[in-house]
Amino acid sequence: MIETHAVAPALAAALAKRGYSSLTPVQETILADAPADADLLVSAQTGSGKTVAFGLALAPTLLGDDEHLGPAGAPVALAIAPTRELALQVKAELTWLYEQAGAQTASCVGGMDPRAERRALERGAHIVVGTPGRLRDHIERGALDLSGIRAVVLDEADEMLDLGFREDLEFILDAAPEDRRTLMFSATVPKPIADLAQRFQRNAVRLTTISGREQHVDIDYIAMPVVPNERENAIINILRFHEAQKAIVFCATREAVNRLTSRLANRGFSVVALSGELSQAERSHALQAMRDGRARVCVATDVAARGIDLPNLDLVIHADLPTGKAALLHRSGRTGRAGRKGSSVVVVPFPRRRAAERLLQLAGVKAEWREAPSANAIRAQDKARLLADPVLNEPAEEEDLETARELLAVHDAERIAAAFVRLYQLRLPPPEELTEDSFEARGPRERGDRGDRGPRDDFGGGKSFEVRNKFEDGVWFRLSLGHKHRADPRWLLPMICRAGHVTKKEVGAIKIGNTETLFEIMGGHAEKYADVIRRDGSGERGVVIEPADVRGGFAPSFRGNDEDGPSRYERARERNTGRGFGGGAPAGRGGPAPRRRRFEDDEPRPTHPAFAPMDEAPLDRGPKRGKRGPDGGGFGGAPAGEGFAPRKGKPAFKDGGPKKAAHRKGDGVKKKSKKQEG
């Protein structure tokens, strides 16, 4: 029971009317340890009842020894929240909590009509709740008078700083009277929050109900590795398996929210979307649909992760990995509120497993790793729910019994029961078939060890080497990309894995040819890989993957032009021979011009440094210039004008004869610029 002597009578009556029989730890801490006139810096877990807690903390300042507030005029309390939804929720909580005290509340949030808000402020309000931007706008326009403010509350203060509201908060706090109380409530207290508290609070009392890195006891964390392109199917199966009364699915972008919302609606789920691109009216309608039961699934961006309280929300699904520890904890905090149990499921694509493990470790969360529910597991769960449905044990109405007798007169009991089962299943969205994959066989971490790939030459060409199988029962496949397309294992391997829903652990040797690539898949996964390729293709435009129909022994040989003639690297070496780069006699001026490599009309000219033009031999300028010959006519004994090639478009010597070399400043021949020469 609530100790009513510690609570103002008006608030105690409101709590009793609301059905409160006990208080949460943070609410009890406020009543027991918070001085009546001190500033507070409170940290508590999400879903712990912080809104009611700071409502109780405000009572001594607003009511004192009185039971009722006086007539409404300039506001005496100001509550600031980071998002519109949270601000409206805080206003609703404070409205019923201070209803018996005769309090008038008003909201000032973005997305709502500012003229209506100004009219509400002109009529008078005891408590104003709003978002930083809109509150600052009303203050600058003179619509919000803070001269009578006795207390300011910052709810989810860390989130407001993360969203970039520091300047607005400082403006609002500077505009409020200096003798006010300042109460900060935050799930975490990082250094920016501590700095803000030091500047705007006086001798603040620090209260916390979070013990070290203790995990939220009412939230079960589950991590489910899935094939990357089956995330949506896995989310559908998770929703079906849990059949939660209400669930929320978090996505990273608005586009992902729209796509998943459409997919779930098409599958028969009652779903609403919540993202920043929606108007305030649309967001309010979405939340109201969740609260009154018209919708059971909400697909949202992180805009809904802070402070939103949806009753009976039992399941949180992270469709995209959270960006950090705070995002994970605050998303998950939408469930497990006020002592109610909940589950937080993190959907982990196979390539992101290590990132997910680091995130969970950083957040101090121990998650259970398990496979996503299969279609068979969901059907078994549906069967168990059907057999345990309370309607089977409830007393039947006489009208229903009469209908049952008529059915028994026409059909036998077994046929009627089968029809009942079909009708029961028709109201449920059908489960999705997921790619079967042995989660236990993968072990705790995907190391990505692909083993010994056998010998290979220096260039990675497809003709001059053989690759032995990594797997005894491995199956080879062909991929229509090779050296001609600048194929490289660094991007071929992810493509191979994505195309057939495997990991690099199931990929063996890779052999790259001129126009195609051969790769090996573990025998136990080969049939599944081939089925996925036949069904979905390679997933890349213009790329074809097909089985090579070879098992065991050496890798299969390449087809077509890959087997005939030298490789492109061998041709490049041949072209360089005799040009001063790869040995042999240097090309003379009078020799035949080297042949350029010809490209087909539809073949793009390669830009790799290995294929830079090497068929243009350097100009033969003859022996280096030295001392004048004994006859004075040339260099090194050669006649003037011979022994070196003049630059293109210039005579060998200016004015037709040799000039003495200039050794002193000013004695040399002045060179002309290219402009002058032109």
Side-chain angles (χ1 to χ4, degrees), residues 65 144 218 225-226 324 421 432 544 546 581 586 612 625 627:
D65 296 330
L144 178 57
D218 292 329
V226 299
V421 172
E432 295 286 349
V544 177
E546 59 184 356
F581 294 96
R625 298 190 182 188
K627 296 181 179 179

Side-chain angles (χ1 to χ4, degrees), residues 141 306 328 461 533:
R141 294 175 182 272
R306 288 277 186 159
L328 172 65
I533 292 299

Side-chain angles (χ1 to χ4, degrees), residues 479-481 491 495 537-545:
L479 188 150
S480 61
L481 295 176
W491 56 265
M495 178 193 297
S538 68
E540 303 288 341
R541 181 180 301 176
V543 179
V544 177
I545 298 178

Side-chain angles (χ1 to χ4, degrees), residues 488-503:
D488 187 281
R490 288 175 296 180
W491 56 265
L492 280 179
L493 180 60
M495 178 193 297
I496 292 169
C497 294
R498 287 194 304 267
H501 305 167
V502 296
T503 66

Side-chain angles (χ1 to χ4, degrees), residues 219-241:
I219 301 177
D220 295 326
Y221 285 88
I222 304 168
M224 292 186 177
V226 299
V227 175
N229 60 351
E230 290 188 357
R231 280 191 301 172
E232 293 181 1
N233 292 348
I235 291 169
I236 291 173
N237 283 8
I238 293 169
L239 291 170
R240 283 282 288 106
F241 184 82

Side-chain angles (χ1 to χ4, degrees), residues 64-199:
D65 296 330
D66 300 330
E67 294 188 5
H68 299 279
L69 293 167
V76 293
L78 179 67
I80 311 173
T83 63
R84 292 174 272 183
E85 289 76 20
L86 181 55
L88 296 176
Q89 180 178 298
V90 168
K91 179 199 171 188
E93 292 286 301
L94 294 179
T95 298
W96 69 257
L97 183 61
Y98 278 86
E99 181 181 9
Q100 303 293 328
Q104 296 292 325
T105 59
S107 62
C108 300
V109 298
M112 304 295 283
D113 186 359
R115 295 171 299 178
E117 293 174 349
R118 285 196 291 269
R119 288 193 293 267
L121 294 174
E122 291 171 357
R123 290 193 296 267
H126 296 99
I127 303 173
V128 174
V129 184
T131 52
R134 180 56 64 89
L135 288 173
R136 178 174 182 172
D137 183 66
H138 284 309
I139 294 171
E140 290 176 336
R141 294 175 182 272
L144 178 57
D145 180 13
L146 300 185
S147 60
I149 291 293
R150 303 177 198 168
V152 176
V153 179
L154 276 66
D155 191 15
E156 303 287 2
D158 53 344
E159 174 71 0
M160 285 191 281
L161 293 187
D162 291 342
L163 294 175
F165 290 131
R166 184 184 189 94
E167 184 179 346
D168 293 335
L169 290 176
E170 292 176 349
F171 176 87
I172 295 170
L173 293 174
D174 284 333
E178 293 186 0
D179 59 349
R180 69 180 187 278
R181 289 181 69 196
T182 305
L183 285 65
M184 292 188 183
F185 285 74
S186 176
T188 59
V189 185
K191 187 177 184 301
I193 291 296
D195 294 342
L196 193 68
Q198 185 176 7
R199 175 178 173 183

Side-chain angles (χ1 to χ4, degrees), residues 347-432:
V347 178
V348 183
F350 287 145
R352 301 294 307 279
R353 171 152 185 166
R354 291 187 182 180
E357 289 175 344
R358 288 194 298 268
L359 175 64
L360 294 172
Q361 183 180 9
L362 180 64
V365 169
K366 293 183 179 179
E368 177 186 358
W369 288 81
R370 66 173 74 160
E371 291 183 340
S374 64
N376 291 333
I378 294 172
R379 295 185 188 101
Q381 190 79 342
D382 290 342
K383 180 180 178 181
R385 291 194 187 100
L386 174 61
L387 296 176
D389 198 313
V391 72
L392 297 174
N393 299 320
E394 294 177 357
E397 299 289 339
E398 184 60 34
E399 183 178 355
D400 296 335
L401 289 174
E402 183 64 27
T403 304
R405 296 188 190 100
E406 293 179 4
L407 286 172
L408 286 170
V410 179
H411 305 285
D412 57 57
E414 184 175 350
R415 184 177 295 274
I416 294 174
F420 169 72
V421 172
R422 285 197 299 273
L423 290 174
Y424 180 86
Q425 293 174 342
L426 283 175
R427 69 180 182 86
L428 299 172
E432 295 286 349

